[in-house]
């Protein structure tokens, strides 16, 4: 069986492709069930964020193409379009990739902390969907352990920086008097909470939180002394807002070009700065065509992110070293588990031979045969049965000049010091 990591991310696919391949929370349960039903897939987990969609599977070696076809079919995307931007890793490389993802080394913002929480959610979803077996369970648990080591032993988590921080940082560069701006935040999840926190630290005091569930908006608004509204009230709030930052899990855009045009007219064309962090996008791309709107997506935050990357590179180098050690430890544990499975199968086979020989011996004793003769026959039969398959394999190895097998057999079978008379 092969450990496979297959996916797309911000480095291989545009936001237009990523939003088509993303799994919404409502899709995830059915998707995991379908993926587990793909022939040759034994275990499966799905990680889907604004910057990546990745499938982690235990599969037979020929299962990769079937998984790619399934992903294409599930999202209604031509498989060739997906193949052109997908990447895949196997076994050690797959484990290394997952660990790099967990500590933020593969993120747009180097070392960003949110991805570990998202990965833990993906792990829990896979567990609830019965997608995890021994292989992925061991890998995820070990990955979380390595991520904890990286966070505690390197500076990669100091002064946390995220896409939310990058969005606020970019906005602060555009407005001369940033603190007097009013911000409309669409969504009420972890990303928007981070945005609100960074805005407050940057001096912004006037904030509006819009969410599908008004009660959730009110919870977040109370923390930041902000105004809470429902999504239906966004058109009115847009008129009063200088900054719009959106991050929801909505499958369709929330803010369209017509809504923005009407708001700009009432604002007498005072400009609005917008950042759409969501994938799929919350703001129609056509909104960016308006003269008085400055619309950015997660792909446009690269300048801020590169600056952050330079500051964290030294810590990243330390993290890479810890990950390499983590991969070695995982591989060692995996080999032990693999050897344990082989030992179990070998012992089961030996036990079956023992039971069969014992039954025959007991039957002879029941017929009144001489016990000494029964014991001799038992020992002879058991020895022959135990040695038959190894003997055949040794002859075949000799005929094929498989010196590696012969050397292994000698090490395994001829340790005379362990044989006691």
């Amino acid at each position: 069986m092969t450990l496979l990591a297959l996916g797309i991310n911000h480095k291989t696919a545009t936001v237009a492709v990523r939003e088509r391949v993303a799994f919404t929370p409502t899709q995830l349960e059915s998707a995991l069930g379908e993926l587990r039903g793909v022939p040759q897939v034994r275990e499966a987990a799905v990680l889907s964020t604004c910057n990546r969609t990745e499938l982690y599977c235990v599969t037979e070696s020929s299962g990769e193409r079937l998984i790619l076809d399934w992903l294409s079919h599930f999202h209604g995307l031509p498989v060739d379009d997906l193949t052109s931007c997908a990447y895949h890793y196997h076994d050690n490389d797959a484990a290394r990739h997952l660990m790099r993802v967990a500590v933020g080394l593969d993120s747009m913002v180097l070392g960003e902390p949110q991805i570990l929480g998202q990965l833990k959610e993906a792990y829990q979803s896979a567990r609830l969907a019965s997608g995890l077996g021994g292989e992925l369970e061991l890998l995820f648990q070990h990955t979380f352990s390595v991520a904890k080591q990286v966070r505690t032993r390197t500076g990669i988590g100091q002064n946390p920086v995220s896409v939310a921080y990058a969005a606020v940082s970019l906005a602060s560069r555009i407005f001369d008097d940033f603190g007097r701006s009013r911000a409309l935040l669409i969504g009420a999840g972890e990303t928007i909470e981070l945005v609100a926190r960074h805005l407050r630290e940057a001096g912004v005091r006037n904030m509006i939180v819009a969410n599908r569930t008004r009660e959730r908006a009110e919870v977040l608004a109370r923390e930041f002394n902000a105004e809470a509204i429902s999504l239906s009230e966004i058109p009115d709030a847009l008129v009063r807002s200088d900054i719009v930052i959106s991050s929801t899990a909505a499958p369709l855009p929330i803010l369209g070009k017509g809504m923005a045009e009407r708001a700009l007219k009432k604002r007498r064309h005072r400009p609005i700065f917008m950042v759409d962090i969501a994938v799929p996008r919350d703001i129609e791309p056509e909104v960016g065509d308006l003269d008085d709107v400055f619309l950015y997506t997660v792909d446009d935050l690269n300048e801020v992110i590169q600056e952050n990357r330079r500051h964290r590179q030294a810590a990243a180098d330390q993290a890479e070293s810890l990950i390499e050690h983590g991969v070695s430890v995982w591989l060692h544990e995996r080999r032990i588990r693999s050897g344990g499975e082989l030992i179990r199968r070998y012992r089961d086979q030996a036990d079956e031979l023992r039971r069969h020989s014992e039954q025959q011996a007991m039957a002879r004793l029941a017929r009144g045969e001489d016990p000494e003769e029964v014991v001799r026959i038992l020992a002879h039969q058991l020895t022959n049965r135990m040695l038959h398959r190894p003997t055949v394999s040794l002859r075949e190895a000799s005929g094929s000049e498989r010196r590696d097998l012969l050397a292994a057999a000698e090490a395994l079978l001829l340790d005379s010091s362990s044989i006691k008379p």
Side-chain angles (χ1 to χ4, degrees):
M1 301 300 288
T2 298
L3 173 64
L4 170 69
L6 183 150
I8 65 168
N9 64 18
H10 60 281
K11 293 181 285 188
T12 68
T14 64
V15 66
V17 175
R18 297 202 305 274
E19 65 186 357
R20 292 188 64 185
V21 183
F23 292 90
T24 65
T26 55
Q27 289 177 319
L28 196 54
E29 183 178 354
S30 61
L32 283 165
E34 286 188 24
L35 182 54
R36 280 285 286 109
V38 172
Q40 302 182 2
V41 173
R42 300 295 176 264
E43 302 177 37
V46 175
L47 173 65
S48 186
T49 73
C50 62
N51 282 329
R52 70 181 65 246
T53 293
E54 295 182 338
L55 312 178
Y56 292 89
C57 302
V58 175
T59 177
E60 296 179 21
S61 58
S62 58
E64 181 178 330
R65 183 65 194 188
L66 293 175
I67 294 170
L68 195 63
D69 289 341
W70 171 82
L71 185 61
S72 168
H73 177 74
F74 188 93
H75 290 294
L77 189 69
V79 70
D80 290 341
D81 291 355
L82 193 56
T83 303
S84 65
C85 59
Y87 49 82
H88 58 268
Y89 301 97
H90 297 102
D91 295 326
N92 296 7
D93 291 334
R96 181 179 295 105
H97 177 73
L98 180 60
M99 293 177 199
R100 296 187 79 254
V101 168
V103 301
L105 292 182
D106 197 57
S107 296
M108 178 180 287
V109 178
L110 182 64
E112 61 99 356
Q114 284 177 276
I115 186 64
L116 181 58
Q118 293 166 330
L119 192 59
K120 288 181 177 179
E121 290 176 2
Y123 163 76
Q124 290 296 342
S125 296
R127 287 194 70 184
L128 290 173
S130 301
L132 300 183
E135 184 82 0
L136 284 185
E137 179 72 36
L138 173 66
L139 175 61
F140 274 97
Q141 290 295 342
H142 188 71
T143 295
F144 297 148
S145 175
V146 170
K148 183 177 181 180
Q149 290 180 42
V150 170
R151 291 288 170 185
T152 56
R153 294 170 60 181
T154 75
I156 201 165
Q158 294 176 0
N159 302 314
V161 179
S162 62
V163 171
Y165 173 86
V168 173
S169 178
L170 186 59
S172 68
R173 298 178 185 182
I174 291 178
F175 292 90
D176 293 332
D177 193 354
F178 189 54
R180 298 181 61 183
S181 304
R182 178 179 281 109
L184 169 61
L185 309 181
I186 304 175
E190 184 179 354
T191 298
I192 287 298
E193 183 178 350
L194 281 171
V195 168
R197 200 173 308 283
H198 290 311
L199 283 170
R200 185 172 63 181
E201 291 171 356
V204 175
R205 292 294 176 265
N206 296 320
M207 288 185 271
I208 304 169
V209 180
N211 193 55
R212 180 179 58 83
T213 306
R214 190 186 185 110
E215 290 77 10
R216 172 59 186 148
E218 289 172 348
V219 171
L220 186 59
R222 279 196 295 271
E223 182 179 351
F224 296 97
N225 195 27
E227 177 186 350
I229 64 172
S230 62
L231 296 184
S232 63
E233 299 172 88
I234 287 178
D236 292 333
L238 195 59
V239 177
R240 300 181 282 134
S241 302
D242 307 298
I243 301 166
V244 178
I245 301 178
S246 187
S247 177
T248 77
L252 297 172
I254 293 171
L255 200 162
K257 185 177 181 181
M259 185 191 300
E261 284 178 320
R262 290 187 291 273
L264 287 170
K265 189 174 182 179
K266 292 180 180 180
R267 287 172 60 85
R268 297 182 179 180
H269 294 278
R270 284 183 292 118
I272 305 176
F273 172 82
M274 299 184 181
V275 180
D276 189 353
I277 302 176
V279 177
R281 284 174 281 191
D282 287 335
I283 303 173
E284 288 182 351
E286 292 77 13
V287 172
D289 297 334
L290 299 174
D291 290 338
D292 299 303
V293 172
F294 300 89
L295 174 61
Y296 297 85
T297 69
V298 288
D299 289 352
D300 298 316
L301 303 177
N302 192 54
E303 181 182 345
V304 177
I305 289 162
Q306 288 304 317
E307 183 178 337
N308 164 66
R309 182 175 290 274
R310 288 192 293 273
H311 293 158
R312 294 196 172 189
Q313 192 56 56
D317 292 341
Q318 290 179 282
E320 295 281 13
S321 178
L322 289 171
I323 286 172
E324 285 306 311
H325 177 70
V327 171
S328 297
V329 172
W330 170 79
L331 180 59
H332 178 69
E333 292 179 355
R334 191 189 193 201
R335 286 170 176 163
I336 291 175
R337 288 184 70 252
S338 177
E341 174 64 17
L342 178 60
I343 291 169
R344 185 193 63 77
R345 288 167 53 199
Y346 185 63
R347 291 184 69 90
D348 286 348
Q349 177 180 289
D351 203 42
E352 178 61 28
L353 293 174
R354 178 196 59 77
R355 282 196 299 269
H356 184 63
S357 296
E358 183 182 275
Q359 289 172 357
Q360 289 183 327
M362 296 299 291
R364 286 192 174 92
L365 289 173
R367 291 195 297 268
E369 295 185 21
D370 179 23
E372 291 187 5
E373 182 64 20
V374 170
V375 170
R376 280 195 293 271
I377 293 173
L378 171 63
H380 181 72
Q381 286 182 338
L382 194 54
T383 300
N384 284 343
R385 286 168 178 169
M386 290 291 293
L387 294 180
H388 174 70
R389 182 56 196 167
T391 301
V392 172
S393 297
L394 283 171
R395 286 173 177 162
E396 291 175 351
S398 297
S400 304
E401 294 188 349
R402 290 293 307 274
R403 300 187 184 279
D404 55 333
L405 289 180
L406 293 172
E410 184 173 4
L412 288 170
L413 303 176
L414 299 182
D415 183 9
S416 58
S417 63
S418 65
I419 302 175
K420 299 182 183 300

